[in-house]
Amino acid sequence: MEITCAGAARTVTGSCHHVRLDGTEFLLDCGLFQGGHEAEADNRAEFPFEPAGVDAVLVSHGHLDHVGRLPLLVERGYRGPIYATGATRNIAEVILRDAAKLQEEDHRRELRRATRAGREDEVLPPLYHDADVDRTMELFRTIDMDTPVSLPGGARARFRPAGHVLGSATIELDHGGTRLLFSGDLGNRESALQAPAELPQACDLVLVETTYAERNHRSREATEQEFGSVLASSLGTGGNVLIPTFALERSQAVLYEIRRLMERGAIPRVRVFLDSPMATRLTRFYEHGKNEFRDEVKEVLAEGRDPFAPPTLEFTVDTEASKAINAVEGGAIILAGSGMMTGGRILHHLKHNLWRADASVVVVGYQASGTLGRALVSGAERVRIFGDEIRVRAGIHTINGFSAHADHDDLRRWLDATGDAEAFLVHGEPDAMDAFAAELRAAGRRVTTPEPGNRYRR
Ligand code: ZN
């Protein structure tokens, strides 16, 4: 067996692992590197394998950092099947088309700027276009959870629920008497919506994510209580409450909690806006998902009700409807992207509300350094949005418990079920990864923290 990590090696994004098993070549995920100029260069770099030589691609879930380089793989010669669950296929299409659109918009903006400077020759083309996404989607083969599937070369794979986002799976790959296991992204056992990841069987080698290998999350109950009391006190001032959210999983988890709080009478039934076309499309998929949710969520669906729809929910898809929200008086809850406040419709709402003392921002996701979100969480008194200086008078609250990722104890429990398999640690920051590697080695496990592009033979 040979393993080459073409992403998510000593870093979090760009998940992409090339595996040669008994002469057959597999690719596990083909995700985009995200964050800054370095990521841009990594995405444009050649793959450390020949795309046309890969026999099958298996995709763990629909996040951009797990599917975002698929169109590049196809453009560079891959013509084989891409296996994924049905939900992952649907989510991947929404995410990839949005990525192609953003890349084309960025390219047009850069070209305008470069043309004014007489440097248009220096502008690189978009990474890919919507037509590349069309060609990619044709290669998808959807498979059911927990059902073995035959792959090229006589190999077999089984996808099992990972508890991370809708459709997310761990992938078991059997070939020539060897079993390799890929965690994809593992869910938080205290997830608002997903049932915990199914525990794996023993295997020979396991590739496991380590995003939160160094910490444990708060319990679901504590998170729900904290979220409820922050919303109740924020709405008590009569101002608007802004919730910047990621479109996949976080938006639906937040809507789910708001619905429960309203039905219990814990917060007033103010208007709730999901001001994101992408989150609106993804929420439709959630309404048709069933199998992987926690029992409580399944029960609401079984009653014919929508778990993700507070009684006052409004979807604002076109920009006119989005702008009209600015005129709403007397307190409303507004969910919009982007999750780290680096772009998107949330910026307009922040511009209209941050300077009001009765408004609130409730932060429910990780805020990377250098983002507007991080500045607000860190207590910035003034920020700039669309060139305007804004005094921050709104209340800023952070709720930490909404993570969609396994924590330290989740990872240990899942890994323990793999027997004495060698562990390749991927999808994490080096510090957290190294500390976890030391802990696992002390417990007697063989551990490798692969370097990007290196080939490991086992
Ligand atoms: Zn993910």
Side-chain angles (χ1 to χ4, degrees), residues 351-390:
K351 183 176 163 179
H352 284 280
N353 287 281
L354 269 182
W355 53 276
R356 299 172 194 264
D358 63 357
S360 311
V361 180
V362 180
V363 177
V364 292
Y366 176 72
Q367 305 297 314
S369 67
T371 61
L372 175 60
R374 174 64 76 88
L376 290 175
V377 166
S378 307
E381 290 181 3
R382 293 171 187 279
V383 294
R384 289 194 89 82
I385 299 176
F386 300 128
D388 291 345
E389 184 181 5
I390 296 170

Side-chain angles (χ1 to χ4, degrees), residues 14-255:
S15 179
C16 183
H17 310 291
H18 181 265
V19 178
R20 188 193 298 271
L21 258 181
D22 208 21
T24 309
E25 291 185 43
F26 303 96
L27 201 61
L28 303 168
D29 287 351
C30 194
L32 201 73
F33 290 100
Q34 292 173 285
H37 291 294
E38 215 172 295
E40 173 79 21
D42 286 340
N43 286 324
R44 290 186 188 274
E46 293 286 309
F47 291 105
F49 53 84
E50 178 52 53
V54 175
D55 295 289
V57 177
L58 301 102
V59 173
S60 65
H61 66 288
H63 269 144
L64 189 61
D65 65 321
H66 294 257
V67 300
R69 277 189 289 165
L70 285 171
L72 279 176
L73 187 77
V74 174
E75 197 241 326
R76 294 174 188 175
Y78 181 68
R79 294 289 177 272
I82 300 172
Y83 294 95
T85 63
T88 293
R89 185 229 165 268
N90 291 340
I91 291 165
E93 179 162 16
V94 170
I95 299 257
L96 289 174
R97 292 203 189 283
D98 182 68
K101 193 175 119 213
L102 287 177
Q103 285 160 21
E104 286 169 358
E105 283 171 7
D106 284 352
H107 175 255
R108 276 196 295 276
R109 190 179 319 117
E110 262 181 61
L111 197 60
R112 274 198 302 276
R113 190 175 297 152
T115 304
R116 287 194 291 270
R119 293 177 184 275
E120 58 269 40
D121 297 348
E122 295 172 17
V123 177
L124 295 167
L127 216 44
Y128 46 83
H129 299 273
D130 198 56
D132 296 308
V133 180
D134 289 339
R135 277 190 285 279
T136 305
M137 296 319 299
E138 286 168 15
L139 302 179
F140 268 85
R141 308 275 180 277
T142 58
I143 57 174
D144 293 328
M145 283 291 187
D146 287 314
T147 308
V149 55
S150 298
L151 301 179
R156 286 165 80 76
R158 193 162 63 125
F159 285 48
R160 305 183 71 199
H164 170 58
V165 299
L166 187 69
S168 65
T170 62
I171 302 172
E172 219 178 67
L173 184 58
D174 278 288
H175 196 36
T178 301
R179 173 172 291 166
L180 181 139
L181 180 65
F182 175 45
S183 71
D185 286 357
L186 286 174
N188 174 0
R189 71 185 176 287
E190 297 278 317
S191 156
L193 306 178
Q194 308 290 326
E198 282 181 21
L199 290 179
Q201 296 181 324
C203 59
D204 299 296
L205 191 141
V206 55
L207 283 153
V208 62
E209 66 120 324
T210 51
T211 318
Y212 286 121
E214 88 297 5
R215 57 175 264 195
N216 281 321
H217 300 314
R218 305 190 69 179
S219 71
R220 177 166 56 234
E221 204 182 306
T223 302
E224 283 173 359
Q225 264 177 19
E226 189 186 11
F227 185 58
S229 61
V230 163
L231 276 190
S233 65
S234 297
L235 289 168
T237 65
N240 289 333
V241 176
L242 311 187
I243 309 182
T245 49
F246 301 106
L248 179 61
E249 191 76 13
R250 194 63 42 88
S251 293
Q252 295 79 27
V254 167
L255 289 174

